[in-house]
Amino acid sequence: MDRITRQPSESVSEIKPESSGTADSEAHALGDKFHRKINDSVYELYRPPTADMNTDIDIVFFHGLQLKQDATPYLSTWRARDAERSLWPSKWLAEDYPSARILSVLYDGSMKKTDRDGRMDLHLVAESLLHSLLLARVGQSCPVILVGHSFGGLVIKKLCVISADQARRGKRPAGFTFFNNITGICFYATPHQGSRLGDVEKFDSQEGELVSVVRVHSRELARLNEDFECLRDGPWDIDITSMGEILPSDMDKGRYVIVEEASARYLGTFTVLQEDHISICQPRERTNTSYKTLVDFILQVQQKRRNVSEDFGGDIQPLPKTQVGLLASWIEGEISKSFEEHQAIGLWGMGGIGKTTLAKAIFNRERSKFYYTLFVRDVKTFPEERPWIEFQKFFLDHTFCKGRKVENNSDISIFRNKDILVVLDDVEKDRDVNIVTVLQDVCSPKSRFVLTSRDRQIMRRVDGLQIIEITSLDDRDSEKLFRSIVVPESEEASEEWQEDCLKDIVKYCGGLPLILKVIGQYLKTTQEKGIWKETLESLRNVGEGIHDVEEVLKKLQVSYDQLGKVEKEMFMDVATIFSNYRSTRKFSARILSPTPWTLAEAKAVWRVVHGNENSRWKILVDRALVYQVTDEDSELKMHEHLQALGRKLARDEGRSDRIDYKSVYHISKMVQEKALYHEKLQHLDVWGKPSRPKRSVLQKLMPCIRSLQFAPSISFHKMQNLRYLQVSGLSGSRLKLPESLVIFDSRRPIESCSFQPNTQLAVLLLRDFRGRYLPDSFSDFKNSLQFLEVTAERLKSLPESFGHLKMLRECALKCPLVRELPCSLGSLESLKKLMLECASLERLPDSICRLRELHMMELRNCRNLEELPTDIGCLQNIQSLIIENDGDLDDDDGRGKLQSLPDSLGNLRNLQRLSVENTDVKELPSSIGDLQCLEHLTVSNEQLQELPASLGRLEKLQVLEVRFSDLKELPASIGDLESLERLTVYSTRLQGLPTRLGDLRGLKSLVVCSEALEDIPTSLSTLQSLGELRLEGKLVRENGETAAEFLSDCCTHLTNLQTLRLISQRLERLPHNLANLKKLQILVLQCPEVSTLPDSWEALPELRSMELSCLSKTLTGRWGGMTALEELKVSDCRELTSFPDSLGELKALRDLRISSCNELRSLPESVGRVEMLKGLSVEHCAKLESLPESLGQLTSLERLCLSDLPLIKRIPSLHTISSLSCFWCGNLPKLKCPPNVPPKCEVFY
């Protein structure tokens, strides 16, 4: 929701309170009519004024403790200190956020116990408020932000803990939804570590139950903090801001600061205010920091939420505004029942029937009940020829955990025993079914799968899937849907003819939601009787009902026929040219992958060809013929039926054709078959790898072809209508191109290409240009060219006329011989992205600092670049600056020559990402602390010796990576980075970590690798948010404790740790309390002095991957308790002689790898009991004498590797393992006979 500053036309202030009572009476005595009582604990201060304004967010206020009697703390706490004593949440905040619902709660916060007051403890208060909030339907349909003053903040934390606990135990579905919709918490002077108030103030009577909670050393408060932080460190990811007081308050026992800064400071951002304990939440005016901080926080939370929901495959799926008829009735009826009774359901029906919309509605309704959610749209678009592992990665890229995107996942095992909700849209391939089968084996039985498809047979391959046929809408529901599109809400058709016409049109739409929407969006724009009648007549000519796809296309064409000539061409362009994934179209120095056309690129073309591209595109969007996209850098999308219509129309009109040919014969035959209309041909796709054809074969087509893909060597300049040319198979090296060309995309070596004088090229992609100079006509594109990519190994310079390209938006140059860029580069006033990979480039022109619109600049492998322009700080809009060089850091030729960064770098106030890797930069400028928006900082340089203290001023920094450096220490100011979530340091000389490391309360990942690392601060064990810990070095704490004692302390406190990697030469044993790490999933140990493993890891139920390296002696301990362990690697354990027999109890183990264990004599027979084992590798074990006979019992084994085992004479029979597909055996000199394997198994020696 965008921030709006306008007065609502209607507010809750006009609604009188319901009941009379002490609180309400006193409120009226103060002149308050701003609230409406919902129940005894919840009061509505404001709600959106009109029915058509949806509630976007619930904001709930919690007051604190009451030393004196106050019947209306839910109001008096939040009064402004202006002349009117305004209730600022219902006045100011309602004006800034008119689509928010604002509420305030009332609870017994008395600090004195009487017969009536002060008798409820914190648990009862929070539980009662939760019940009241749920009755008020808070957080049931929108996000929630909770605002607490003083003790009210502790009530919020307890309320969250209780609702999370009820959610885990499956109680109160409404509470589960409420908990998952909490997106932000604002604390005003909350005593997270206690307050002096309870100790200083004395009470005439017995103190209230809540007073003991806020005492400084309260155990109940410590437990509350621990429970709450455990929630925040898990999948529940919320934003937090806190404000603290520094002025004393007037109390009965004197003046003192009630909540000290150290107690008010908490996770997230923190602001110290020149206020006392009361005034901190009673601003005088809107410009006060206490109010502005809250307003900005709400805006930040909502923007973050919007960004998540807009992400591809996002957690919340967008739906049509009006959900009617079939959708609502089926979700509540048959689908709801099937969803509960079956793990998988399949929605089957023809295209356009509403399967995807229905799947989205199911997903949105059920998503909050599952730990992981995945909605994979158009799964069939992933290329079938790509490897299975890439498909898994594509699939996992859509993973969300409680509404938050899960990044960098490549392992399906993360779903082990978890409740997941998966929607696969448009299933049509075996691999789509296979991914569901794999997930069913991994996830919990409570997981659910929803598939949509037009192929009933493919869905039947999913075990236990219930197929539900989706049929057309009936007349009543069809009319309701159509009317909601065409006729404004709460209105009727304006005239009788329109009402009759509407009903007839609905009848001929055949109950198909897609047709109803497309026709409805067209008629919505006009009230002309003639147009409505013409539309009805066109539909009547097609006939009633929907019997096949051909009839669907004919009815959709009714809307297309009403478009203008230009809009029709644009529609066909989207369906043909711009809807294809084309390999390696986008420039990147490292990865070239399939990339679709974006809206910005299409508009660049239409601007040249047609003009008025924005208004014309809006017509297509308004007619529902294409999908609206979030921004112009997003890919173009349209419904597959509309795409099929566009392609069919292009073919039928002779504008387009697609031919798969392998010889000249096929082309000749095509010419003969198309002889009747080849003069109209405008778009031709020719695919395949033919032998060299005769030049005369396509000569007849040259004057009329408009678009050509994969063309043989022909004279393109004769094709006077050719607009879109993509060449992949050219054998010639010199091209002469026609004047009509708008897109030229070349993937093959070209020495030169010449353009006609009046050519208006919009997109130029030269990926293997062999010429020494760009075409002379290059500057002629100054008013048209917007996207340019050039890869040219021989090109030595760019013409000064390069700066004439005023419309250029993106420029990517990979030219290793270019030593300098023209000064005119600064004249590219529209340039937003600049990507350079020029190894010989020595300097950037100073004029580059004039590129005011530049958002991103990448300098990759510009190794000779010695400096950046002094005034680079003038690039005020730049958001990403990447300076990276590939290659070996020890190789001077691979490292860049850049030695310093200019001080003006600190002026880049919008910079969000800065990466400086593999250069000669020895220090960062102190001005880097002025980068107020910087979120990600990466420095990789072996010359770097220190980081500036100003680094601590980077309030928004989330990721700090320092790799391959010469750092000796980290600045103490690093403790001020309150937003830091990931800290990674690789250094050869780092000896210790700063004591203030413990102040990084939000830190989730800590990786520190240094051979010299000795001093580990005690504060590390207080990082309760930590999910990943990797330490490499000597590992001794500053007080001299051994590494084992240090780890024991960590195991006591770091209970949320999921990944632990330890590489140490001095660690002799693992801590006895390793079992405290209940959430540990990955354990890596490389510790030569460790001789035994503790029995405690029997209680590591979540551990799924373990790697043991360089351990000594025999591995002992009971391993059967690691019920989730899937991967075990043991290497370089030179004194290891055997494995425990409990190895066979690892029932989930799928991959076992043993290598370089020179003293290993045997494997236990129990290994044959590992039923799930799919991969077994035993290599470089010089003294291994035999293999267990039980290997033949591994019925799930697929891969077996036995290599460099000089004493092995015999391999047990494996012929009964039908799943075994690959067997590698090498360097087995004493093996007497070949292995006995199943017939389909491939053996590699």
Side-chain angles (χ1 to χ4, degrees):
M1 179 187 69
D2 293 328
R3 187 171 170 188
I4 304 173
T5 55
R6 60 182 177 85
Q7 177 66 43
S9 59
E10 178 189 354
S11 71
V12 178
S13 62
E14 300 173 10
I15 303 176
K16 296 182 179 180
E18 292 179 356
S19 61
S20 60
T22 305
D24 292 329
S25 299
E26 295 191 22
H28 283 298
L30 291 169
D32 275 317
K33 295 183 291 182
F34 289 87
H35 70 283
R36 180 173 70 92
K37 182 176 179 180
I38 297 179
N39 54 50
D40 288 340
S41 298
V42 181
Y43 292 80
E44 189 176 69
L45 306 186
Y46 169 83
R47 66 181 177 189
T50 57
D52 61 346
M53 182 180 289
N54 296 325
T55 299
D56 287 343
I57 193 167
D58 285 338
I59 305 174
V60 188
F61 289 82
F62 293 71
H63 63 78
L65 295 179
Q66 305 301 310
L67 184 59
K68 299 179 180 179
Q69 186 68 27
D70 183 359
T72 60
Y74 68 95
L75 299 177
S76 58
T77 302
W78 312 107
R79 293 197 173 281
R81 288 176 291 155
D82 57 6
E84 302 174 358
R85 295 290 289 163
S86 305
L87 190 61
W88 60 263
S90 63
K91 186 177 182 181
W92 301 349
L93 198 62
E95 292 175 0
D96 285 339
Y97 292 96
S99 58
R101 184 169 68 142
I102 302 174
L103 308 103
S104 187
V105 301
L106 173 66
Y107 63 91
D108 180 7
S110 175
M111 296 182 66
K112 299 179 181 179
K113 182 182 288 187
T114 65
D115 292 341
R116 190 180 61 146
D117 302 323
R119 310 193 70 85
M120 295 179 68
D121 61 22
L122 179 58
H123 183 90
L124 289 176
V125 167
E127 192 172 48
S128 175
L129 284 179
L130 176 61
H131 178 71
S132 298
L133 289 170
L134 296 184
L135 288 177
R137 296 196 58 76
V138 174
Q140 298 306 296
S141 59
C142 63
V144 181
I145 289 181
L146 307 177
V147 183
H149 173 243
S150 190
F151 190 84
L154 303 183
V155 174
I156 289 174
K157 293 164 79 170
K158 188 65 176 180
L159 182 145
C160 292
V161 170
I162 292 174
S163 62
D165 181 63
Q166 292 180 351
R168 278 194 295 266
R169 289 184 286 137
K171 296 183 176 182
R172 279 189 179 177
F176 189 76
T177 303
F178 168 80
F179 173 73
N180 282 292
N181 278 333
I182 299 174
T183 56
I185 300 177
C186 177
F187 294 114
Y188 282 100
T190 294
H192 301 287
Q193 308 302 327
S195 168
R196 298 171 56 201
L197 181 66
D199 297 319
V200 174
E201 299 299 319
K202 304 299 181 183
F203 305 99
D204 298 332
S205 58
Q206 189 177 2
E207 68 181 25
E209 292 289 338
L210 301 179
V211 176
S212 61
V213 179
V214 296
R215 288 202 165 92
V216 175
H217 298 293
S218 167
R219 292 185 178 180
E220 184 176 358
L221 181 57
R223 284 195 301 271
L224 174 62
N225 288 333
E226 182 178 350
D227 292 343
F228 181 78
E229 287 166 16
C230 285
L231 290 182
R232 188 174 183 271
D233 299 336
W236 185 56
D237 184 16
I238 62 167
D239 293 293
I240 292 178
T241 190
S242 306
M243 287 171 269
E245 68 207 64
I246 59 172
L247 299 182
S249 300
D250 292 322
M251 306 300 293
D252 291 344
K253 303 301 180 181
R255 286 172 55 83
Y256 56 89
V257 177
I258 294 179
V259 179
E260 299 286 349
E261 178 184 339
S263 182
R265 185 181 292 274
Y266 201 57
L267 305 172
T269 60
F270 179 71
T271 306
V272 178
L273 303 178
Q274 293 284 336
E275 305 287 355
D276 61 29
H277 194 66
I278 305 301
S279 66
I280 195 171
C281 58
Q282 295 185 346
R284 292 186 183 278
E285 52 190 17
R286 292 181 186 222
T287 58
N288 281 30
T289 305
S290 59
Y291 177 72
K292 288 179 61 181
T293 300
L294 175 62
V295 171
D296 292 343
F297 175 70
I298 296 172
L299 181 65
Q300 169 194 328
V301 170
Q302 289 206 289
Q303 183 62 48
K304 186 175 180 180
R305 181 86 176 188
R306 185 186 301 116
N307 291 341
V308 169
S309 64
E310 289 176 352
D311 198 358
F312 181 75
D315 190 44
I316 300 176
Q317 300 301 312
L319 282 170
K321 183 178 178 180
T322 307
Q323 295 301 306
V324 296
L326 187 68
L327 180 62
S329 63
W330 275 59
I331 289 182
E332 297 302 327
E334 182 178 352
I335 287 182
S336 179
K337 181 180 179 181
S338 298
F339 193 84
E340 293 178 4
E341 296 177 353
H342 301 273
Q343 189 181 48
I345 62 172
L347 306 181
W348 169 65
M350 68 181 303
I353 201 71
K355 303 184 299 297
T356 300
T357 301
L358 197 54
K360 288 180 179 181
I362 297 170
F363 182 88
N364 287 349
R365 193 189 73 160
E366 303 291 340
R367 50 180 278 278
S368 62
K369 302 177 183 178
F370 296 86
Y371 191 85
Y372 286 115
T373 57
L374 298 91
F375 193 107
V376 187
R377 305 190 193 108
D378 298 325
V379 65
K380 69 178 183 182
T381 60
F382 188 83
E384 191 170 8
E385 64 274 8
R386 303 292 285 277
W388 167 252
I389 190 67
E390 290 189 25
F391 176 68
Q392 288 190 61
K393 182 65 170 64
F394 161 80
F395 184 85
L396 288 165
D397 282 343
H398 299 79
T399 305
F400 280 72
C401 183
K402 298 303 179 185
R404 297 290 183 183
K405 186 75 177 290
V406 179
E407 302 289 350
N408 300 324
N409 272 315
S410 58
D411 190 353
I412 283 180
S413 62
I414 65 168
F415 303 129
R416 170 71 59 187
N417 298 323
K418 293 291 193 298
D419 297 345
I420 65 175
L421 173 62
V422 178
V423 175
L424 283 183
D425 182 36
D426 213 357
V427 170
E428 65 174 23
K429 298 181 176 70
D430 287 337
R431 63 152 193 229
D432 309 337
V433 172
N434 293 340
I435 199 77
V436 174
T437 302
V438 170
L439 289 174
Q440 285 180 319
D441 293 338
V442 172
C443 65
S444 78
K446 294 182 180 179
S447 298
R448 291 295 182 267
F449 300 86
V450 179
L451 283 67
T452 73
S453 180
R454 282 176 284 177
D455 187 346
R456 179 160 47 184
Q457 299 303 320
I458 194 73
M459 290 199 294
R460 283 178 174 168
R461 299 176 191 175
V462 178
D463 292 339
L465 181 135
Q466 173 75 15
I467 295 179
I468 301 174
E469 182 180 3
I470 309 301
T471 58
S472 302
L473 297 173
D474 59 28
D475 291 343
R476 180 180 62 85
D477 292 333
S478 295
E479 182 178 335
K480 189 175 182 181
L481 174 58
F482 189 77
R483 193 180 294 276
S484 70
I485 298 171
V486 176
V487 183
E489 190 174 354
S490 72
E491 292 184 15
E492 296 292 334
S494 57
E495 298 185 33
E496 184 177 350
W497 70 262
Q498 192 178 27
E499 186 69 28
D500 295 338
C501 198
L502 183 149
K503 293 181 179 180
D504 288 339
I505 289 174
V506 167
K507 180 176 67 174
Y508 286 104
C509 283
L512 204 66
L514 175 63
I515 299 176
L516 289 164
K517 181 179 180 182
V518 170
I519 300 297
Q521 288 293 125
Y522 165 58
L523 293 179
K524 179 181 180 180
T525 63
T526 179
Q527 299 297 315
E528 292 186 25
K529 182 176 180 180
I531 293 178
W532 279 63
K533 293 290 186 180
E534 287 177 4
T535 302
L536 174 58
E537 188 63 28
S538 298
L539 290 171
R540 183 180 285 119
N541 291 336
V542 178
E544 291 188 46
I546 301 292
H547 301 96
D548 54 31
V549 175
E550 189 67 26
E551 291 185 358
V552 174
L553 300 186
K554 288 180 180 179
K555 293 188 176 183
L556 292 174
Q557 187 175 342
V558 172
S559 179
Y560 165 85
D561 289 340
Q562 309 305 319
L563 293 173
K565 178 182 178 181
V566 172
E567 286 77 15
K568 287 181 178 179
E569 290 195 7
M570 290 173 59
F571 175 78
M572 286 189 285
D573 284 347
V574 177
T576 55
I577 303 295
F578 298 126
S579 62
N580 294 323
Y581 280 79
R582 304 181 309 134
S583 60
T584 66
R585 186 176 57 79
K586 280 290 187 183
F587 171 87
S588 173
R590 295 181 177 177
I591 300 174
L592 293 172
S593 57
T595 310
W597 288 98
T598 66
L599 177 59
E601 292 165 324
K603 283 187 175 181
V605 171
W606 294 329
R607 177 181 175 273
V608 172
V609 178
H610 306 301
N612 298 323
E613 65 280 2
N614 293 313
S615 59
R616 297 184 193 280
W617 171 255
K618 187 176 185 300
I619 291 174
L620 296 181
V621 173
D622 291 344
R623 300 280 181 89
L625 295 172
V626 294
Y627 290 141
Q628 177 69 285
V629 295
T630 55
D631 59 72
E632 293 201 350
D633 289 328
S634 300
E635 65 176 286
L636 293 166
K637 293 182 179 179
M638 66 194 320
H639 192 280
E640 60 181 294
H641 277 337
L642 291 165
Q643 184 183 69
L645 173 64
R647 291 180 173 178
K648 177 180 180 297
L649 291 171
R651 288 194 304 269
D652 291 348
E653 296 178 15
R655 295 172 175 265
S656 173
D657 208 342
R658 179 185 177 93
I659 297 171
D660 186 3
Y661 73 95
K662 297 181 180 179
S663 68
V664 177
Y665 169 76
H666 289 84
I667 302 176
S668 302
K669 185 177 179 182
M670 178 271 295
V671 172
Q672 294 173 4
E673 291 177 349
K674 308 300 180 184
L676 293 177
Y677 66 85
H678 75 266
E679 291 83 2
K680 299 179 181 179
L681 192 63
Q682 295 181 337
H683 171 208
L684 175 63
D685 292 351
V686 188
W687 296 79
K689 295 184 178 180
S691 57
R692 186 178 181 91
K694 295 180 180 180
R695 185 176 301 272
S696 61
V697 172
L698 294 181
Q699 199 68 30
K700 294 182 180 180
L701 298 174
M702 289 180 187
C704 49
I705 296 179
R706 174 180 172 187
S707 176
L708 183 65
Q709 282 189 320
F710 206 97
S713 180
I714 54 178
S715 300
F716 294 107
H717 69 281
K718 296 183 179 180
M719 303 179 185
Q720 296 305 314
N721 291 319
L722 185 63
R723 291 181 183 171
Y724 315 119
L725 176 60
Q726 175 182 333
V727 290
S728 304
L730 281 177
S731 57
S733 59
R734 300 177 184 274
L735 293 179
K736 188 175 181 182
L737 301 167
E739 181 181 305
S740 58
L741 204 62
V742 181
I743 295 177
F744 181 48
D745 177 7
S746 170
R747 307 179 190 178
R748 291 291 179 175
I750 297 176
E751 290 185 9
S752 68
C753 55
S754 60
F755 298 91
Q756 302 300 319
N758 295 321
T759 300
Q760 296 190 60
L761 211 61
V763 179
L764 176 59
L765 310 175
L766 300 174
R767 293 197 187 81
D768 195 355
F769 185 69
R770 299 295 179 89
R772 297 182 183 274
Y773 305 97
L774 289 176
D776 296 334
S777 56
F778 195 74
S779 61
D780 292 341
F781 311 140
K782 59 183 179 181
N783 294 320
S784 61
L785 191 63
Q786 294 194 32
F787 297 89
L788 172 66
E789 176 185 332
V790 179
T791 299
E793 295 186 357
R794 299 179 183 177
L795 190 67
K796 292 186 177 182
S797 65
L798 298 176
E800 192 65 30
S801 60
F802 190 83
H804 296 168
L805 303 175
K806 302 293 186 181
M807 300 301 298
L808 194 62
R809 175 172 172 156
E810 294 185 16
C811 177
L813 303 175
K814 186 175 182 180
C815 308
L817 298 183
V818 170
R819 303 182 63 179
E820 63 179 1
L821 299 175
C823 292
S824 63
L825 185 71
S827 301
L828 302 177
E829 56 191 33
S830 300
L831 194 65
K832 293 187 176 182
K833 296 181 181 180
L834 176 62
M835 296 161 281
L836 302 176
E837 185 171 355
C838 304
S840 301
L841 187 66
E842 297 177 352
R843 62 184 299 274
L844 295 173
D846 292 337
S847 63
I848 201 172
C849 302
R850 300 202 305 266
L851 300 177
R852 305 297 186 185
E853 295 299 317
L854 196 65
H855 288 176
M856 181 187 75
M857 181 161 66
E858 293 186 8
L859 306 175
R860 297 188 184 273
N861 296 323
C862 299
R863 296 184 177 88
N864 282 327
L865 186 66
E866 297 181 353
E867 62 179 3
L868 297 178
T870 305
D871 295 331
I872 196 171
C874 294
L875 299 175
Q876 292 295 307
N877 288 316
I878 196 167
Q879 299 175 5
S880 176
L881 176 58
I882 309 295
I883 307 171
E884 296 181 358
N885 296 296
D886 299 333
D888 191 347
L889 285 170
D890 297 328
D891 182 5
D892 291 339
D893 293 333
R895 193 171 64 243
K897 294 182 179 181
L898 185 67
Q899 296 184 356
S900 64
L901 299 176
D903 288 336
S904 67
L905 189 75
N907 295 331
L908 303 178
R909 300 303 172 87
N910 289 309
L911 192 66
Q912 298 176 13
R913 180 184 180 93
L914 173 62
S915 179
V916 183
E917 298 191 45
N918 203 0
T919 66
D920 276 341
V921 172
K922 295 181 175 59
E923 62 180 3
L924 300 177
S926 59
S927 63
I928 198 172
D930 297 328
L931 300 176
Q932 300 173 356
C933 293
L934 195 65
E935 297 177 353
H936 193 133
L937 173 60
T938 301
V939 184
S940 174
N941 181 12
E942 63 178 6
Q943 308 295 322
L944 187 68
Q945 297 182 358
E946 64 177 354
L947 296 175
S950 62
L951 203 68
R953 302 204 305 268
L954 300 175
E955 297 180 354
K956 294 186 178 181
L957 192 66
Q958 299 177 13
V959 178
L960 174 59
E961 297 179 337
V962 184
R963 300 179 182 274
F964 308 110
S965 68
D966 201 27
L967 284 179
K968 293 183 180 179
E969 62 180 4
L970 296 175
S973 62
I974 201 171
D976 294 327
L977 300 175
E978 296 180 352
S979 299
L980 196 66
E981 296 183 355
R982 190 165 83 237
L983 174 60
T984 302
V985 181
Y986 288 82
S987 174
T988 56
R989 302 174 62 187
L990 185 68
Q991 296 181 351
L993 298 175
T995 304
R996 291 194 58 198
L997 188 71
D999 292 341
L1000 302 175
R1001 298 298 179 87
L1003 196 66
K1004 296 180 180 180
S1005 172
L1006 175 62
V1007 176
V1008 183
C1009 300
S1010 172
E1011 295 178 359
L1013 184 63
E1014 293 185 350
D1015 297 331
I1016 307 295
T1018 8
S1019 60
L1020 188 146
S1021 61
T1022 65
L1023 299 176
Q1024 297 185 12
S1025 297
L1026 209 60
E1028 177 186 16
L1029 175 62
R1030 176 177 178 177
L1031 297 176
E1032 179 177 346
K1034 297 178 181 179
L1035 306 187
V1036 180
R1037 284 166 60 170
E1038 74 273 10
N1039 57 8
E1041 292 183 9
T1042 66
E1045 291 170 336
F1046 156 69
L1047 286 176
S1048 179
D1049 194 25
C1050 286
C1051 290
T1052 300
H1053 298 94
L1054 304 182
T1055 53
N1056 290 303
L1057 208 61
Q1058 297 180 8
T1059 300
L1060 176 61
R1061 291 182 170 90
L1062 298 174
I1063 301 175
S1064 172
Q1065 301 296 319
R1066 298 178 60 173
L1067 185 64
E1068 298 178 353
R1069 58 183 172 84
L1070 294 178
H1072 65 281
N1073 59 345
L1074 191 68
N1076 285 1
L1077 303 177
K1078 298 291 187 183
K1079 298 181 180 179
L1080 194 66
Q1081 297 182 17
I1082 300 174
L1083 176 63
V1084 178
L1085 300 175
Q1086 186 175 333
C1087 309
E1089 298 301 318
V1090 170
S1091 58
T1092 60
L1093 299 175
D1095 289 341
S1096 62
W1097 73 5
E1098 175 83 9
L1100 292 175
E1102 295 294 323
L1103 192 67
R1104 58 184 178 86
S1105 177
M1106 181 165 64
E1107 183 175 343
L1108 308 176
S1109 179
C1110 300
L1111 304 186
S1112 62
K1113 300 183 181 179
T1114 302
L1115 297 177
T1116 60
R1118 295 172 295 171
W1119 293 19
M1122 294 180 287
T1123 55
L1125 192 66
E1126 298 180 348
E1127 182 181 44
L1128 175 60
K1129 300 179 182 178
V1130 182
S1131 64
D1132 296 299
C1133 298
R1134 303 186 186 282
E1135 298 182 29
L1136 179 67
T1137 59
S1138 64
F1139 284 86
D1141 193 60
S1142 58
L1143 179 69
E1145 300 176 16
L1146 300 176
K1147 300 300 183 183
L1149 192 65
R1150 297 185 175 219
D1151 194 2
L1152 174 60
R1153 303 181 189 182
I1154 304 169
S1155 65
S1156 302
C1157 297
N1158 293 333
E1159 295 297 323
L1160 184 65
R1161 305 300 177 92
S1162 63
L1163 297 177
E1165 283 290 335
S1166 63
V1167 73
R1169 300 201 302 268
V1170 185
E1171 299 175 354
M1172 300 295 292
L1173 196 66
K1174 293 188 175 183
L1176 173 61
S1177 175
V1178 185
E1179 301 179 84
H1180 306 289
C1181 297
K1183 295 186 179 181
L1184 186 66
E1185 299 174 349
S1186 63
L1187 297 170
E1189 291 294 326
S1190 61
L1191 285 185
Q1193 301 172 17
L1194 298 173
T1195 55
S1196 298
L1197 195 66
E1198 297 176 356
R1199 307 173 305 278
L1200 176 61
C1201 177
L1202 302 175
S1203 177
D1204 292 292
L1205 308 175
L1207 300 184
I1208 293 296
K1209 299 178 180 179
R1210 177 179 173 274
I1211 297 176
S1213 176
L1214 306 172
H1215 75 278
T1216 59
I1217 308 178
S1218 59
S1219 59
L1220 189 64
S1221 58
C1222 295
F1223 181 19
W1224 292 270
C1225 56
N1227 195 16
L1228 305 178
K1230 293 191 177 182
L1231 188 65
K1232 296 182 178 179
C1233 58
N1236 186 8
V1237 297
K1240 295 183 179 180
C1241 178
E1242 293 187 71
V1243 180
F1244 303 92
Y1245 293 95

